[in-house]
Amino acid sequence: MTAAPTVFPQLTLAHRATLAESADGWAEVAAAARPADRDAAERGIRAAYRAAGLAEPGKILWYASPLAAAVAATVVSGAFKPQELAALRLPVRAPMASRAGASVRDRIRSASWERARADAVALLGHTGWAQAWGEIAERLWDPTTSLSARIRDGIEEAVLSATGTDRGPARRGTVTPTAPVAREARAATLDALGGQHDAAWLAAFDGLRRCFPRLDASPSAAALDAVAEVARSAGWWWPYENVVLVAERPTVLHRDESARLHNGEGAALAFPDGFALHAWRGMPVPADFVTTLGPAGGALNAQRIRDEDNAELRRVMLEIYGYDRYLAEVGARPLHRDETGVLWRIELPGDEPIVMVEVLNSTPEPDGSVRVYWLRVPPTTRTARAGVAWTFGLTEQEYRPARET
Amino acid sequence: MYRQGDILLLPVDEGAVPVGVTGLPAKPRDGRGRIVLALGEVTGHAHAVVGAGTLFLDPEPTTIGHLKIDAPTRLVHEEHATISLPKGWYKVVRQREYIPGAVRIIAD
């Protein structure tokens, strides 16, 4: 005899709207660039330990950036002694491994995330859970995971470029001592909870609990509330048996329309101790790279752009300099021209050619001028219309707008 | 077909609307009662439909979904001229740009 199939509640429009609202609220948490609320974060941390069945930590230590906290975590894990790090001029205020105890990240994660997911699946079925998660994830998962990945890269690079010794960079011929520390610091980031960057999964459970209040009765609810309170108040945090390391939130966060790190006038992400990431439309660039190109790329010319070996930096230089200026300077001739726009091609040594359509914005600006913009299209494109059509997933024959604004 | 900035509306015959579209989740209206087809994440500027209709959301991010307009209405945006939309079905597509190794969605 088979049991009657379980009937799961369907997600209604109202549920979806509630999930979207939750995603909006948590998107703000994820992007918060202001000092941590330390009291609230510490309250949340203690509650998270209790909810996971652990004794409250004896000490909660604050760090001015995830870099500082990750370096401290290499001491807590026993990988390095403070005096070894002092030689690198890295921040080293950290308890010894013997005092801190083992990492309890997995205990706290499984008390919150894994138990809450099991509750959600029990209530909604695998399909319903996947649908609810999809509502949130599209908005929050990529921005938070890609930002976290960039911070991890940044931590590794910052340690690698640490000065070596107090007397200056490591002497020639000696192996730089920073590489193993950089590797360990990066590995240590995997022992952290994300704080504000845990927004995606916290938003999913928060939204589901608003949709289905009976989830509040689950034993996972207290653990979720605790982790959520930390997330609303602080950055990454490293829970150990007796000690917790907590990182400050950034003070600066600049992103472009596509939520990629982007700032032409300074750091795109910066923490109170100066740990910072620089980026142009998501592409990592050295700290002074954009400013050395001069205002509006004034220090650039076509030769300097062509001489840049790094394809990504060359792309950034081209965008800042302006494709139109570059094309004029190298005397480029359009590949094709029709009523949709003009097709241009830039040959680059060691990289695939850049093919772009130059399009006029159909609605004039308030001052009567018309904004020109450039869309990069596949290098195989042969006509302007085919290029514009490609940007909408259509063929040249299919693209026939009756009205454009 | 109609283009407003980075959004293209392709008319679709009712008979050619893919089976199952009406079973897809419909986009809830925003606080001002509009159906927002696409939103600039930072500017908050929106391509939005004001009248009677429904946007059935595609799981695919580049094709936003299928829009059913029940009575002639308007497509508005803060920076683009308004477009009159006849009654009918439309496939709503967002403009993308070629990046080596990936494709990026435009947001204006």
Side-chain angles (χ1 to χ4, degrees):
Chain A
M1 217 172 79
T2 48
T6 313
V7 178
F8 295 112
Q10 296 291 307
L11 287 184
T12 63
L13 265 185
H15 290 144
R16 289 172 47 107
T18 303
L19 288 167
E21 245 174 62
S22 171
D24 285 346
W26 281 94
E28 277 172 37
V29 170
R34 54 177 183 273
D37 180 342
R38 295 190 174 194
D39 290 344
E42 295 188 4
R43 227 173 17 244
I45 287 168
R46 294 203 174 86
Y49 272 69
R50 291 195 301 271
L54 297 162
E56 288 185 14
K59 233 182 199 169
I60 297 176
L61 297 168
W62 284 87
Y63 294 84
S65 72
L67 166 65
V71 170
T74 67
V75 174
V76 174
S77 71
F80 296 100
K81 294 191 179 72
Q83 54 272 29
E84 293 176 285
L85 299 181
L88 299 178
R89 286 204 276 184
L90 286 164
V92 288
R93 184 177 53 97
M96 301 297 289
S98 53
R99 296 247 179 97
S103 169
V104 292
R105 176 186 183 273
D106 290 348
R107 290 281 297 273
I108 286 173
R109 284 274 295 197
S110 60
S112 51
W113 152 256
E114 280 163 36
R115 212 177 285 167
R117 185 175 51 177
D119 293 340
V121 170
L123 176 72
L124 295 169
H126 284 285
T127 314
W129 159 247
Q131 195 192 349
W133 173 245
E135 291 284 326
I136 298 283
E138 192 190 333
R139 173 85 197 276
L140 282 170
W141 182 255
D142 287 352
T144 50
T145 49
S146 64
L147 188 56
S148 300
R150 290 296 302 280
I151 294 172
R152 266 186 206 112
D153 292 345
I155 287 172
E156 190 173 1
E157 280 160 32
V159 176
L160 270 177
S161 59
T163 44
T165 72
D166 281 347
R167 288 186 302 277
R171 276 172 301 157
R172 283 172 64 180
T174 63
V175 179
T176 166
T178 56
V181 185
R183 218 168 28 242
E184 282 296 329
R186 186 191 181 92
T189 62
L190 301 176
D191 287 332
L193 280 100
Q196 65 182 151
H197 298 144
D198 280 332
W201 57 272
L202 290 169
F205 296 130
D206 183 22
L208 280 175
R209 282 169 66 190
R210 288 194 229 166
C211 294
F212 304 102
R214 80 189 95 151
L215 285 172
D216 286 341
S218 153
S220 66
L224 276 179
D225 287 340
V227 175
E229 184 160 23
V230 186
R232 273 192 289 265
S233 317
W236 296 6
W237 55 294
W238 281 255
Y240 300 90
E241 285 168 282
N242 310 314
V243 170
V244 182
L245 318 183
V246 199
E248 268 292 343
R249 290 190 283 215
T251 47
V252 169
L253 174 65
H254 294 289
R255 293 179 299 168
D256 69 2
E257 283 286 347
S258 306
R260 299 168 304 179
L261 285 178
H262 173 72
N263 188 7
E265 290 163 359
L269 178 75
F271 290 88
D273 62 356
F275 173 56
L277 302 178
H278 292 75
W280 179 271
R281 302 197 187 182
M283 282 181 279
V285 292
D288 297 326
F289 182 73
V290 174
T291 44
T292 58
L293 306 181
L300 278 175
N301 56 49
Q303 189 58 46
R304 194 173 155 200
I305 294 170
R306 268 199 308 272
D307 289 347
E308 172 60 56
D309 289 333
N310 180 313
E312 288 204 333
L313 293 184
R314 196 162 51 201
R315 224 172 283 151
V316 173
M317 292 164 104
L318 265 173
E319 283 198 14
I320 292 172
Y321 190 61
Y323 293 113
D324 48 346
R325 276 169 84 188
Y326 183 88
L327 292 164
E329 198 169 323
V330 300
R333 306 244 316 255
L335 275 185
H336 184 259
R337 181 191 298 269
D338 60 30
E339 60 284 2
T340 65
V342 184
L343 189 71
W344 297 91
R345 181 184 179 96
I346 299 176
E347 298 291 344
L348 293 172
D351 198 3
E352 64 177 288
I354 296 181
V355 175
M356 290 172 302
V357 266
E358 177 190 356
V359 205
L360 296 180
N361 205 344
S362 306
T363 304
E365 302 291 302
D367 66 1
S369 65
V370 179
R371 200 174 123 216
V372 177
Y373 61 100
W374 301 78
L375 295 169
R376 191 162 174 187
V377 295
T380 50
T381 309
R382 291 289 168 261
T383 68
R385 178 178 295 278
V388 177
W390 180 89
T391 65
F392 289 113
L394 298 179
T395 66
E396 185 171 358
Q397 289 71 34
E398 287 167 337
Y399 182 68
R400 303 284 158 189
R403 185 156 151 67
E404 295 176 80
T405 71
Chain B
M1 67 184 72
Y2 304 93
R3 184 169 76 86
Q4 188 180 58
D6 56 353
I7 294 293
L8 188 74
L9 268 62
L10 285 162
V12 182
D13 284 340
E14 186 154 8
V17 173
V19 179
V21 161
T22 53
L24 289 172
K27 175 123 181 199
R29 286 178 185 257
D30 74 353
R32 290 149 69 183
R34 310 174 307 170
I35 307 169
V36 173
L37 306 184
L39 189 66
E41 197 159 314
V42 174
T43 57
H45 291 172
H47 299 278
V49 169
V50 288
T54 313
L55 175 65
F56 297 98
L57 293 162
D58 268 11
E60 175 94 14
T62 46
T63 52
I64 291 168
H66 283 79
L67 177 67
K68 181 170 172 268
I69 297 294
D70 300 324
T73 182
R74 289 171 300 131
L75 174 64
V76 298
H77 187 274
E78 286 79 353
E79 289 174 340
H80 296 277
T82 296
I83 292 180
S84 300
L85 284 183
K87 178 181 167 188
W89 279 90
Y90 300 87
K91 186 171 160 188
V92 186
V93 183
R94 181 154 218 179
Q95 193 162 40
R96 59 183 174 162
E97 193 174 3
Y98 176 81
I99 318 180
V103 164
R104 120 160 95 118
I105 309 291
I106 314 286
D108 69 3

mmCIF file of all heavy atoms in Angstrom, chain B residues 84-101:
data_model
loop_
_atom_site.group_PDB
_atom_site.id
_atom_site.type_symbol
_atom_site.label_atom_id
_atom_site.label_comp_id
_atom_site.label_asym_id
_atom_site.label_seq_id
_atom_site.Cartn_x
_atom_site.Cartn_y
_atom_site.Cartn_z
ATOM 1 N N SER B 84 2.779 54.195 -27.301
ATOM 2 C CA SER B 84 1.422 53.651 -27.197
ATOM 3 C C SER B 84 1.458 52.176 -27.565
ATOM 4 O O SER B 84 2.044 51.800 -28.571
ATOM 5 C CB SER B 84 0.480 54.364 -28.169
ATOM 6 O OG SER B 84 0.477 55.734 -27.844
ATOM 7 N N LEU B 85 0.843 51.361 -26.764
ATOM 8 C CA LEU B 85 0.854 49.920 -26.992
ATOM 9 C C LEU B 85 -0.538 49.427 -27.331
ATOM 10 O O LEU B 85 -1.448 49.534 -26.505
ATOM 11 C CB LEU B 85 1.318 49.179 -25.738
ATOM 12 C CG LEU B 85 2.791 49.178 -25.386
ATOM 13 C CD1 LEU B 85 3.013 48.314 -24.156
ATOM 14 C CD2 LEU B 85 3.623 48.665 -26.540
ATOM 15 N N PRO B 86 -0.735 48.860 -28.546
ATOM 16 C CA PRO B 86 -2.025 48.250 -28.845
ATOM 17 C C PRO B 86 -2.252 47.006 -27.986
ATOM 18 O O PRO B 86 -1.297 46.412 -27.481
ATOM 19 C CB PRO B 86 -1.895 47.855 -30.327
ATOM 20 C CG PRO B 86 -0.697 48.573 -30.845
ATOM 21 C CD PRO B 86 0.194 48.815 -29.671
ATOM 22 N N LYS B 87 -3.526 46.668 -27.858
ATOM 23 C CA LYS B 87 -3.923 45.446 -27.170
ATOM 24 C C LYS B 87 -3.240 44.236 -27.827
ATOM 25 O O LYS B 87 -3.042 44.232 -29.042
ATOM 26 C CB LYS B 87 -5.448 45.346 -27.299
ATOM 27 C CG LYS B 87 -6.063 44.145 -26.704
ATOM 28 C CD LYS B 87 -7.588 44.155 -26.918
ATOM 29 C CE LYS B 87 -8.055 42.768 -26.562
ATOM 30 N NZ LYS B 87 -9.368 42.418 -26.804
ATOM 31 N N GLY B 88 -2.892 43.235 -27.054
ATOM 32 C CA GLY B 88 -2.298 42.035 -27.636
ATOM 33 C C GLY B 88 -1.213 41.446 -26.765
ATOM 34 O O GLY B 88 -1.012 41.875 -25.622
ATOM 35 N N TRP B 89 -0.504 40.462 -27.345
ATOM 36 C CA TRP B 89 0.581 39.785 -26.630
ATOM 37 C C TRP B 89 1.930 40.280 -27.131
ATOM 38 O O TRP B 89 2.107 40.503 -28.327
ATOM 39 C CB TRP B 89 0.504 38.279 -26.887
ATOM 40 C CG TRP B 89 -0.492 37.570 -26.037
ATOM 41 C CD1 TRP B 89 -1.802 37.346 -26.326
ATOM 42 C CD2 TRP B 89 -0.246 36.970 -24.757
ATOM 43 N NE1 TRP B 89 -2.398 36.646 -25.315
ATOM 44 C CE2 TRP B 89 -1.455 36.396 -24.329
ATOM 45 C CE3 TRP B 89 0.876 36.870 -23.925
ATOM 46 C CZ2 TRP B 89 -1.583 35.728 -23.111
ATOM 47 C CZ3 TRP B 89 0.757 36.199 -22.712
ATOM 48 C CH2 TRP B 89 -0.466 35.642 -22.318
ATOM 49 N N TYR B 90 2.883 40.401 -26.232
ATOM 50 C CA TYR B 90 4.241 40.826 -26.575
ATOM 51 C C TYR B 90 5.258 39.963 -25.830
ATOM 52 O O TYR B 90 5.038 39.613 -24.669
ATOM 53 C CB TYR B 90 4.490 42.278 -26.161
ATOM 54 C CG TYR B 90 3.560 43.251 -26.818
ATOM 55 C CD1 TYR B 90 2.322 43.543 -26.251
ATOM 56 C CD2 TYR B 90 3.912 43.872 -28.015
ATOM 57 C CE1 TYR B 90 1.458 44.439 -26.861
ATOM 58 C CE2 TYR B 90 3.055 44.765 -28.630
ATOM 59 C CZ TYR B 90 1.821 45.043 -28.049
ATOM 60 O OH TYR B 90 0.976 45.927 -28.653
ATOM 61 N N LYS B 91 6.329 39.667 -26.528
ATOM 62 C CA LYS B 91 7.480 39.090 -25.834
ATOM 63 C C LYS B 91 8.380 40.264 -25.438
ATOM 64 O O LYS B 91 8.676 41.124 -26.271
ATOM 65 C CB LYS B 91 8.203 38.128 -26.784
ATOM 66 C CG LYS B 91 9.329 37.359 -26.145
ATOM 67 C CD LYS B 91 9.819 36.291 -27.123
ATOM 68 C CE LYS B 91 11.211 35.841 -26.755
ATOM 69 N NZ LYS B 91 11.785 34.971 -27.780
ATOM 70 N N VAL B 92 8.791 40.322 -24.188
ATOM 71 C CA VAL B 92 9.600 41.445 -23.696
ATOM 72 C C VAL B 92 11.054 40.979 -23.570
ATOM 73 O O VAL B 92 11.347 40.022 -22.865
ATOM 74 C CB VAL B 92 9.088 41.937 -22.326
ATOM 75 C CG1 VAL B 92 9.850 43.185 -21.903
ATOM 76 C CG2 VAL B 92 7.589 42.208 -22.375
ATOM 77 N N VAL B 93 11.946 41.682 -24.291
ATOM 78 C CA VAL B 93 13.350 41.273 -24.336
ATOM 79 C C VAL B 93 14.218 42.413 -23.825
ATOM 80 O O VAL B 93 13.983 43.580 -24.157
ATOM 81 C CB VAL B 93 13.792 40.940 -25.782
ATOM 82 C CG1 VAL B 93 15.236 40.435 -25.804
ATOM 83 C CG2 VAL B 93 12.870 39.901 -26.389
ATOM 84 N N ARG B 94 15.220 42.082 -23.032
ATOM 85 C CA ARG B 94 16.152 43.097 -22.542
ATOM 86 C C ARG B 94 17.428 43.061 -23.364
ATOM 87 O O ARG B 94 17.928 41.986 -23.704
ATOM 88 C CB ARG B 94 16.459 42.792 -21.077
ATOM 89 C CG ARG B 94 17.396 43.776 -20.462
ATOM 90 C CD ARG B 94 17.200 43.840 -18.979
ATOM 91 N NE ARG B 94 17.343 45.219 -18.562
ATOM 92 C CZ ARG B 94 17.222 45.656 -17.325
ATOM 93 N NH1 ARG B 94 16.901 44.838 -16.370
ATOM 94 N NH2 ARG B 94 17.397 46.923 -17.036
ATOM 95 N N GLN B 95 17.956 44.249 -23.654
ATOM 96 C CA GLN B 95 19.169 44.340 -24.469
ATOM 97 C C GLN B 95 20.377 43.768 -23.723
ATOM 98 O O GLN B 95 20.495 43.899 -22.515
ATOM 99 C CB GLN B 95 19.432 45.801 -24.803
ATOM 100 C CG GLN B 95 20.465 45.996 -25.883
ATOM 101 C CD GLN B 95 20.378 47.384 -26.491
ATOM 102 O OE1 GLN B 95 20.170 48.367 -25.805
ATOM 103 N NE2 GLN B 95 20.535 47.456 -27.793
ATOM 104 N N ARG B 96 21.245 43.109 -24.473
ATOM 105 C CA ARG B 96 22.460 42.545 -23.884
ATOM 106 C C ARG B 96 23.651 43.056 -24.679
ATOM 107 O O ARG B 96 23.511 43.565 -25.782
ATOM 108 C CB ARG B 96 22.419 41.019 -23.953
ATOM 109 C CG ARG B 96 22.304 40.559 -25.385
ATOM 110 C CD ARG B 96 22.183 39.062 -25.557
ATOM 111 N NE ARG B 96 21.934 38.779 -26.973
ATOM 112 C CZ ARG B 96 22.117 37.599 -27.535
ATOM 113 N NH1 ARG B 96 22.518 36.592 -26.817
ATOM 114 N NH2 ARG B 96 21.878 37.431 -28.816
ATOM 115 N N GLU B 97 24.819 42.912 -24.103
ATOM 116 C CA GLU B 97 26.041 43.349 -24.772
ATOM 117 C C GLU B 97 27.017 42.196 -24.805
ATOM 118 O O GLU B 97 27.035 41.366 -23.901
ATOM 119 C CB GLU B 97 26.645 44.539 -24.026
ATOM 120 C CG GLU B 97 27.718 45.252 -24.801
ATOM 121 C CD GLU B 97 28.200 46.512 -24.097
ATOM 122 O OE1 GLU B 97 27.750 46.796 -22.984
ATOM 123 O OE2 GLU B 97 29.042 47.199 -24.667
ATOM 124 N N TYR B 98 27.832 42.152 -25.839
ATOM 125 C CA TYR B 98 28.821 41.077 -25.955
ATOM 126 C C TYR B 98 30.033 41.382 -25.097
ATOM 127 O O TYR B 98 30.584 42.462 -25.156
ATOM 128 C CB TYR B 98 29.242 40.940 -27.423
ATOM 129 C CG TYR B 98 30.328 39.924 -27.657
ATOM 130 C CD1 TYR B 98 30.031 38.579 -27.739
ATOM 131 C CD2 TYR B 98 31.648 40.333 -27.780
ATOM 132 C CE1 TYR B 98 31.030 37.638 -27.944
ATOM 133 C CE2 TYR B 98 32.658 39.399 -27.982
ATOM 134 C CZ TYR B 98 32.341 38.051 -28.062
ATOM 135 O OH TYR B 98 33.330 37.135 -28.264
ATOM 136 N N ILE B 99 30.392 40.441 -24.248
ATOM 137 C CA ILE B 99 31.669 40.535 -23.544
ATOM 138 C C ILE B 99 32.386 39.229 -23.839
ATOM 139 O O ILE B 99 31.757 38.178 -23.748
ATOM 140 C CB ILE B 99 31.529 40.614 -22.010
ATOM 141 C CG1 ILE B 99 30.388 41.528 -21.589
ATOM 142 C CG2 ILE B 99 32.823 41.074 -21.369
ATOM 143 C CD1 ILE B 99 30.251 41.609 -20.075
ATOM 144 N N PRO B 100 33.665 39.264 -24.171
ATOM 145 C CA PRO B 100 34.361 37.999 -24.436
ATOM 146 C C PRO B 100 34.145 37.048 -23.262
ATOM 147 O O PRO B 100 34.375 37.413 -22.115
ATOM 148 C CB PRO B 100 35.830 38.415 -24.538
ATOM 149 C CG PRO B 100 35.793 39.866 -24.888
ATOM 150 C CD PRO B 100 34.545 40.425 -24.261
ATOM 151 N N GLY B 101 33.645 35.870 -23.559
ATOM 152 C CA GLY B 101 33.466 34.876 -22.511
ATOM 153 C C GLY B 101 32.175 34.985 -21.737
ATOM 154 O O GLY B 101 31.863 34.137 -20.924
#
